[in-house]
C-alpha cells in the first residue's frame, strides 16, 4: 500500500479507519526525536493510496501511535507524545480535527504516567497506544498502554470520560485504578486477573466496523480485538512479540477513584474486561 521512499525511517503503528467513504492510514515515522504523525488515504482499502502527508499537530512535538475518531459529531485525533523536546515521559494528547488530515486548535493532555502502577518500568515513563471506544452508555473511553513496552510490565489501562464531560478537560477523565489487561497481579486493578498465556500484552486494536467507535458492542457479548505480547516462558523482547487475537466485553458498575485533584473523587460506569 505504501513504501518509505523518502527514508523517513522507523515506521510504527499503522491505524486504518474510514471517513467520508475514504480509507485513512495513520502512522508514525522518523528516527530518534524526529518521530511525527503521517497519513495516507485512498478510495480503496488495499491500493491507490496517496503519498504520505505529515499532520500539523499542535506544538509540533514528537508524536506516535495516533488515530482518528469521531465523538458527538466532532472529529478528534488522539496520540502519544512529549510535552517538550526531551524524552522524559509520554503523555496522551487530543486535538480537534476539521477534516481527517487537518488538526485545528490546541492539543490537550488527558493522561500522564503518574500512578505508581504505570511507573514500574520507566526511563521514560509511558502512556502510549491510545485507542478510542464508546461504551453502551455513550461515554467515551481511551484505552492505552502503560509501562515500558520493552518489559513484561506493559499493560492496558482505561481512561473514561465522565458523562457529559469535556474531552479537552483533563479532570473530566477518570483513570482505571490499575491495569485491566496485564501479566503481573501486583499492578492489576482489583477484580481483574493477570494473563495466563502471554506476558506484557499491549498496543491493542479494537475490531470495530470501519473503525467507528459508534459501532461499539453492547454490554454482555464478547467482541474481538488484536494485541501484541510475548508467550510466557519466552524472554521478553520486542523481537519475541507476536500478534494475538483476543476478546473484550463491557463490565458495568465499575468505580474509578482518584485523590488530590479537582472535581469528584470517584466516577462509576462501564469498564472493560479483556480475554486472551
Amino acid at each position: 500500500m505504501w513504501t518509505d521512499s523518502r527514508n523517513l525511517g522507523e515506521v510504527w503503528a499503522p491505524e486504518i479507519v474510514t471517513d467520508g467513504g475514504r480509507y485513512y492510514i495513520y502512522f508514525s515515522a522518523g528516527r530518534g526525536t524526529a518521530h511525527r504523525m503521517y497519513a495516507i488515504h485512498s478510495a480503496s482499502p488495499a491500493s491507490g493510496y496517496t503519498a504520505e502527508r505529515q499532520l500539523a499537530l499542535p506544538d509540533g512535538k514528537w508524536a506516535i501511535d495516533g488515530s482518528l475518531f469521531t465523538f458527538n459529531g466532532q472529529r478528534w485525533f488522539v496520540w502519544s507524545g512529549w510535552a517538550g523536546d526531551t524524552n522524559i515521559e509520554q503523555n496522551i494528547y487530543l486535538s480537534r480535527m476539521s477534516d481527517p488530515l487537518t488538526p485545528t486548535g490546541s492539543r490537550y493532555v488527558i493522561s500522564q504516567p503518574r500512578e505508581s502502577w504505570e511507573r514500574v518500568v520507566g526511563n521514560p515513563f509511558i502512556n502510549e497506544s491510545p485507542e478510542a471506544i464508546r461504551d453502551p452508555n455513550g461515554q467515551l473511553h481511551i484505552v492505552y498502554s502503560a509501562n515500558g513496552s520493552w518489559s513484561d510490565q506493559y499493560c492496558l489501562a482505561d481512561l473514561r470520560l465522565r458523562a457529559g464531560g469535556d474531552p479537552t478537560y483533563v479532570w473530566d477523565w477518570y483513570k482505571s485504578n490499575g491495569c485491566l489487561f496485564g501479566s503481573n497481579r501486583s499492578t492489576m486493578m482489583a477484580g481483574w486477573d493477570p494473563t495466563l498465556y502471554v506476558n506484557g500484552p499491549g498496543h491493542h486494536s479494537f475490531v470495530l466496523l470501519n473503525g467507528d467507535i459508534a459501532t461499539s458492542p453492547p454490554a454482555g457479548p464478547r467482541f474481538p480485538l488484536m494485541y501484541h505480547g510475548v508467550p510466557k516462558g519466552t524472554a521478553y523482547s520486542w523481537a519475541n512479540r507476536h500478534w494475538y487475537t483476543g476478546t473484550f466485553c463491557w463490565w458495568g458498575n465499575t468505580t474509578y477513584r482518584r485523590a488530590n485533584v479537582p472535581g469528584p473523587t470517584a466516577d462509576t460506569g462501564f469498564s472493560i474486561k479483556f480475554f486472551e
Side-chain angles (χ1 to χ4, degrees):
M1 294 184 289
W2 176 84
T3 300
D4 184 14
S5 59
R6 292 200 293 132
N7 194 28
L8 297 171
E10 295 181 0
V11 176
W12 294 346
E15 187 87 13
I16 186 168
V17 298
T18 63
D19 188 292
R22 292 188 69 82
Y23 295 84
Y24 292 83
I25 298 178
Y26 300 91
F27 59 91
S28 177
R31 294 181 176 86
T33 62
H35 268 275
R36 298 296 185 271
M37 289 303 309
Y38 294 83
I40 58 177
H41 57 97
S42 173
S44 170
S47 62
Y49 280 89
T50 63
E52 74 279 359
R53 171 174 166 176
Q54 183 176 334
L55 299 186
L57 293 174
D59 299 331
K61 303 301 183 182
W62 188 90
I64 65 169
D65 297 351
S67 184
L68 181 80
F69 68 94
T70 298
F71 179 66
N72 287 347
Q74 170 66 57
R75 290 187 184 92
W76 298 90
F77 198 74
V78 62
W79 73 97
S80 176
W82 298 348
D85 297 315
T86 54
N87 191 9
I88 299 171
E89 63 181 9
Q90 288 174 223
N91 305 319
I92 305 296
Y93 292 96
L94 275 180
S95 174
R96 291 183 176 88
M97 300 285 281
S98 59
D99 61 54
L101 298 173
T102 310
T104 183
S106 302
R107 67 171 176 165
Y108 301 93
V109 63
I110 61 171
S111 182
Q112 296 173 284
R114 301 293 173 81
E115 302 300 319
S116 60
W117 51 268
E118 56 185 353
R119 295 173 69 88
V120 180
V121 174
N123 192 26
F125 297 110
I126 284 175
N127 283 179
E128 65 184 12
S129 314
E131 299 285 350
I133 191 169
R134 196 180 74 179
D135 73 26
N137 285 340
Q139 288 176 245
L140 178 63
H141 295 246
I142 302 291
V143 178
Y144 67 96
S145 298
N147 289 304
S149 64
W150 55 91
S151 83
D152 67 5
Q153 294 286 347
Y154 207 46
C155 70
L156 297 185
D158 181 37
L159 296 167
R160 182 176 64 217
L161 184 68
R162 70 170 182 84
D166 177 359
T168 69
Y169 181 53
V170 64
W171 302 123
D172 278 352
W173 291 92
Y174 286 76
K175 184 175 288 191
S176 58
N177 298 121
C179 301
L180 302 182
F181 195 35
S183 55
N184 294 276
R185 185 170 293 280
S186 62
T187 57
M188 300 299 292
M189 181 165 161
W192 271 250
D193 294 319
T195 51
L196 296 175
Y197 306 109
V198 302
N199 280 329
H203 204 158
H204 69 300
S205 288
F206 294 115
V207 182
L208 301 173
L209 182 62
N210 296 323
D212 181 359
I213 67 168
T215 64
S216 167
R222 294 188 188 183
F223 283 76
L225 78 152
M226 300 288 294
Y227 64 95
H228 64 59
V230 173
K232 284 187 181 291
T234 303
Y236 199 95
S237 69
W238 287 345
N240 287 337
R241 291 192 304 202
H242 299 278
W243 272 111
Y244 291 90
T245 58
T247 58
F248 70 97
C249 70
W250 292 110
W251 200 258
N253 197 33
T254 304
T255 300
Y256 296 165
R257 302 184 186 279
R258 64 190 189 183
N260 304 316
V261 298
T265 58
D267 182 81
T268 300
F270 277 102
S271 186
I272 306 174
K273 289 272 189 174
F274 296 92
F275 306 91
E276 296 172 88

